[in-house]
Every structure is written in C-alpha cells, then in structure tokens.
Amino acid sequence: MAPRVGLFVTCLVDLYRPSVGFAALKLLEAAGCTVVVPAEQTCCGQPAYNSGERATTKQIAHQVIEAFDGLDYVVAPSGSCAGMIRNHYPELFADDPAAKLAAERVAHRTYELVSFLTDVMGVTSVPAHCAKKITYHDSCSGLRELGVKAQPRALLNTVDGLSITEMEDAETCCGFGGTFCIKYPDISDRMVTNKTDNIDKTGADLLLAGDLGCLLNMAGKLKRRGSRIEARHVAEVLAGDLSAPAIGEAEPR
C-alpha cells in the first residue's frame, strides 16, 4: 500500500513560490506516495519560537499536529520547517505528557523532502533534464538539524545535462536565519555578501538550495549586485519543471 504523505507546504512556498509545492507533489507521487495536503495547516511556528513566544508557538503547533495526525509521514520542502516540527515540537510540551506524546507521533514521521525521497522511499535517480551548471547551498537547519547534505547532490547528479560546481563555504549560513536578518540586518548583509561572492566565483548558471527563505535572501542579493546567476529550489530541478521564472524574476506578460 502506498504511504499516505502529508505535504507541509510552508508559508513561504504558499505565498511566494507555489511552484515548489507542485514540484514536491510531483516528486512524491512519482516515488509512489499518496499525497494529502491538509487545508488546516498553517505556519510551523518557527518565527514565534525564535522570538521567544512559546505560548503562541504551542497554539500553532497544536493546529499543525491535529492537521497531520494519522498520516504515515509529514514531508516539507524545507529543512527549516521540518526541523522545527521534528526537533522542537516535542520539547515545547515537556510539561504536558499527553501533548508531548502527540507531538512526538508527528515529529518522528516528519522529513525534509529530498531526505525523505532518498532515505525513506529509496529514490536513487530522477528522469529530469537541466542543461545548466549549478552550485548548491547547504541551508543551516537542513544540514545541522536533519543531516541533509549528500541526498540532494546524489539526486542532482542523475539529472541529465546538469553539472555541479561546489562553492567555497557551501555549509556557511547565508545570513537569512528567519528573524535573524531582521534583528541584525548589518551582520546579515555582510554574511549574504560573503555568500554571494562565493556563488559568483563558481561561474554557475543556477543556485540551488532546499529552503526558500535562504533562496529569497541570496537571490535578492545576487539581483542587487547585477549577477546573472539565477536561483531555484532544488525540488523544481529534480521534478524537471523550470516553467516558473527564477526566484526574484517577474512573471512574463
């Protein structure tokens, strides 16, 4: 029987980049999953959590847990959101045994998209084509909280026509960090400047990552400095769907 997977769309994908959600859906269905997109889902609560608003975070977490309860897996095209649910939901309810148990049930079944495809569903290749030179940014939460590093590169290496050039300090933060870029804009700008310097040095055509927040940050900086390098979510390339404009580019009229 096909596993029933709840697709956690994420706020940024919903509001800024729906094509990532459709790409994730395509990849999950191609892997043999039955995909459910609960209408009741909202934010994962990470902005509130990072701001110290634990009561608000708990309210949001309760809604997410209820929306995805009963599904075999929860999958997000974001290491940041998946890491929030998987690693931080249970600790939110340390003083409430019943709520903690419900949080753990969902947390233990939550995965970042590409990690789920490779580590759970056993996907080893994709039938996509992308005749571009790419470089890949390792988003902090996916890398450090979920161990997402080799998985996207393994699948990207099976994309027809694609070549990977690693940037210097690929594992270094881009400076987004959710609320970090708002609280510390000068530090954030210095970090994204260093990151885009390294991206430009690769001579790549395309920058890929697994978190839209990081991509919006880096794409914005690349555009402001006049770089020709485009930015896309890794799911779009793996799904073979580049029909949407690159991140930060206007829709054609």
Side-chain angles (χ1 to χ4, degrees):
M1 182 180 293
R4 294 180 70 244
V5 172
L7 178 60
F8 188 87
V9 177
T10 86
C11 299
L12 292 180
V13 169
D14 181 39
L15 295 172
Y16 295 104
R17 195 71 176 174
S19 57
V20 175
F22 289 113
L25 176 66
K26 180 178 178 179
L27 289 165
L28 290 168
E29 289 184 338
C33 303
T34 298
V35 183
V36 178
V37 186
E40 302 82 6
Q41 66 178 293
T42 61
C43 175
C44 69
Q46 187 176 111
Y49 180 81
N50 288 345
S51 299
E53 292 284 349
R54 291 299 187 266
T56 302
T57 309
K58 284 184 177 182
Q59 292 176 347
I60 296 170
H62 274 303
Q63 185 169 348
V64 172
I65 290 166
E66 184 175 344
F68 287 90
D69 191 34
L71 295 167
D72 297 319
Y73 298 99
V74 179
V75 174
S78 162
S80 180
C81 297
M84 178 67 197
I85 297 170
R86 188 177 182 94
N87 295 331
H88 301 295
Y89 272 20
E91 70 184 31
L92 273 174
F93 301 105
D95 57 349
D96 185 338
K100 182 180 180 182
L101 184 61
E104 288 174 340
R105 282 200 305 268
V106 171
H108 294 161
R109 302 194 303 269
T110 298
Y111 291 85
E112 182 272 339
L113 172 65
V114 183
S115 172
F116 177 76
L117 293 171
T118 59
D119 300 337
V120 178
M121 297 305 297
V123 176
T124 58
S125 64
V126 292
H129 173 80
C130 179
K132 292 183 180 292
K133 180 179 179 181
I134 70 101
T135 194
Y136 194 89
H137 164 71
D138 296 297
S139 300
C140 293
S141 294
L143 175 67
R144 293 170 177 84
E145 292 193 330
L146 302 174
V148 179
K149 172 74 175 179
Q151 301 95 324
R153 289 168 171 82
L155 291 187
L156 286 169
N157 275 319
T158 71
V159 174
D160 179 54
L162 182 146
S163 63
I164 302 176
T165 300
E166 296 288 354
M167 73 177 85
E168 184 181 351
D169 297 329
E171 297 183 355
T172 299
C173 180
C174 72
F176 175 63
T179 55
F180 175 86
C181 64
I182 298 171
K183 294 176 181 177
Y184 307 104
D186 292 341
I187 299 174
S188 175
D189 183 64
R190 181 69 259 174
M191 292 171 75
V192 76
T193 297
N194 292 341
K195 174 61 70 170
T196 49
D197 283 346
N198 290 335
I199 293 167
D200 271 329
K201 287 176 187 176
T202 67
D205 306 304
L206 195 56
L207 165 69
L208 301 183
D211 264 283
L212 188 53
C214 303
L215 284 163
L216 288 168
N217 186 41
M218 294 183 291
K221 189 65 173 180
L222 287 168
K223 190 173 182 65
R224 289 191 296 275
R225 66 191 292 170
S227 175
R228 64 171 184 79
I229 298 176
E230 296 182 344
R232 290 185 180 274
H233 193 283
V234 64
E236 295 174 296
V237 171
L238 294 179
D241 187 359
L242 304 183
S243 58
I247 294 170
E249 298 296 327
E251 294 277 354
R253 297 190 177 188

